[in-house]
């Protein structure tokens, strides 16, 4: 199941650098995951300080 970024995102960008398939970008100060490219690995959730990435 692909991950999504919840409203808790603070825009720190930690998940962008951690994503092994580079499917996370920043838009309007928040992280956005391209669901079709998500590898469902959870790396983004592991590094997020506010637990914003959630399994969809």
């Amino acid at each position: 199941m692909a991950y999504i970024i919840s409203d808790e995102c603070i825009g720190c960008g930690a998940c962008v650098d951690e994503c092994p398939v580079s499917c996370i970008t920043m838009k309007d100060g928040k992280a956005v995951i391209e669901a079709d490219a998500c590898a469902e690995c959870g790396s983004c959730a592991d590094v997020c300080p506010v637990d914003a990435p959630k399994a969809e």
Side-chain angles (χ1 to χ4, degrees):
M1 196 181 303
Y3 279 75
I4 60 166
I5 303 292
S6 68
D7 290 338
E8 286 87 12
C9 179
I10 58 172
C12 71
C15 58
V16 176
D17 295 333
E18 193 66 25
C19 181
V21 294
S22 301
C23 72
I24 306 175
T25 57
M26 298 298 291
K27 181 177 182 183
D28 298 327
K30 302 284 183 174
V32 178
I33 296 177
E34 184 182 335
D36 292 342
C38 179
E40 304 171 11
C41 66
S43 293
C44 55
D46 291 342
V47 298
C48 182
V50 295
D51 298 322
K54 307 284 185 199
E56 198 171 49

